[in-house]
Amino acid sequence: MKTKTAVYICLSLAIAIVASCGRKKHDAQYYELMVDSIRKAEQVKELQRQAGMNDNSGSNDLLLDTLQMRSLPMQSTGDIDRLTRTLVKMPSYANLMFGFEHSDTLSAVALPSHNHHKVFLVSLSNGDAKPSIFLFTMNKGNKPNDMLCVYEYREMERKNDSGHSFSEFFITNSYEITLLEYFTPNGSSGTELFQTRKYYISEEGKFLEMSIVGD
């Protein structure tokens, strides 16, 4: 039962990550393979437990509890690559903990706790593409509680124009999170702010959207 629960939790997080940042859609076979991989990982953990071997859960806890702490307020500065270079590269065994695949490259820093929930800024990199950046809240057992995509560079169609979009973010000391989303048409150096969104972290550790005065 615990294995099935872990599979469902990890798959839900993976799907939420894809939906949140607008990554390419995958077919049913992709998710079936993901579930199969997670199930195999859980089977390996169970075999290790039965054999009296230590799994990575203790390593995960130690890793998160000793991760470099970054103070608030925090904001992106227009150079997302520079920001990600200041994050700490995570070992591959920690990927599943955040709901990512083993082959993904993650970097992270810890942020101040909020409402008794640990908060982390996590960068996901794949090849030469620009990274996607997320905020994660974790519960006392160092299990993901909720996540919010705060940066992604992606192709976009808008107003009969094709181009790309990206976001800038600002996080206050009280965890008021502002996302400014921009659009740049292909062949143009001009950038247009087309959407502003604001979020806060609830007492349950969830990222909830705030209404913006004037909307």
Side-chain angles (χ1 to χ4, degrees), residues 81-94:
D81 294 326
R82 179 185 299 176
L83 173 64
T84 56
R85 286 196 295 270
T86 67
L87 308 185
V88 178
K89 186 173 181 180
M90 303 285 279
S92 59
Y93 67 75

Side-chain angles (χ1 to χ4, degrees), residues 1 4 43 50 78 94 154 156-157 160 203 213:
M1 182 62 69
K4 290 182 179 179
Q43 290 172 347
Q50 293 177 2
R154 61 188 175 93
M156 184 177 182
E157 298 286 337
N160 299 319
E203 292 192 7
V213 176

Side-chain angles (χ1 to χ4, degrees), residues 11-191:
L11 178 58
S12 297
L13 280 169
I15 294 174
I17 289 167
V18 173
S20 173
C21 274
R23 295 171 68 183
K24 292 181 179 179
K25 292 182 179 179
H26 298 286
D27 56 22
Q29 184 181 13
Y30 172 87
Y31 293 112
E32 289 173 0
L33 291 174
M34 184 181 294
V35 171
D36 186 56
S37 296
I38 297 171
R39 184 180 293 113
K40 287 179 179 178
E42 291 298 323
Q43 290 172 347
V44 169
K45 288 183 180 181
E46 178 61 19
L47 290 173
Q48 289 176 332
R49 187 192 66 77
Q50 293 177 2
M53 299 170 60
N54 292 325
D55 60 19
N56 285 324
S57 59
S59 300
N60 287 340
D61 293 345
L62 179 63
L63 175 66
L64 293 182
D65 290 341
T66 59
L67 197 60
Q68 177 184 336
M69 175 72 72
R70 188 73 56 83
S71 62
L72 294 177
M74 170 185 285
Q75 67 180 38
S76 54
T77 59
D79 186 350
I80 209 68
D81 294 326
R82 179 185 299 176
L83 173 64
T84 56
R85 286 196 295 270
T86 67
L87 308 185
V88 178
K89 186 173 181 180
M90 303 285 279
S92 59
Y93 67 75
N95 288 14
L96 186 61
M97 174 177 55
F98 286 101
F100 296 105
E101 297 179 41
H102 186 271
S103 58
D104 289 330
T105 300
L106 299 187
S107 299
V109 290
L111 300 180
S113 297
H114 187 66
N115 290 332
H116 306 293
H117 296 281
K118 297 178 182 179
V119 185
F120 298 91
L121 185 74
V122 179
S123 168
L124 166 66
S125 300
N126 285 302
D128 296 328
K130 286 188 177 292
S132 297
I133 299 180
F134 305 86
L135 284 174
F136 275 86
T137 55
M138 306 288 253
N139 60 27
K140 292 182 179 180
N142 284 331
K143 298 294 187 294
N145 187 27
D146 200 8
M147 52 77 61
L148 174 69
C149 182
V150 295
Y151 177 85
E152 186 200 31
Y153 181 99
R154 61 188 175 93
E155 299 300 316
M156 184 177 182
E157 298 286 337
R158 183 172 180 269
K159 294 181 179 177
N160 299 319
D161 256 335
S162 60
H164 65 265
S165 67
F166 66 94
S167 56
E168 298 287 351
F169 63 88
F170 181 79
I171 308 170
T172 69
N173 289 322
S174 58
Y175 277 106
E176 182 177 295
I177 303 156
T178 302
L179 302 184
L180 304 173
E181 301 190 46
Y182 294 91
F183 175 74
T184 302
N186 289 333
S188 172
S189 58
T191 297

Side-chain angles (χ1 to χ4, degrees), residues 202-214:
S202 70
E203 292 192 7
E204 294 75 29
K206 303 296 183 181
F207 294 102
L208 301 180
E209 189 166 3
M210 304 167 59
S211 61
I212 299 177
V213 176

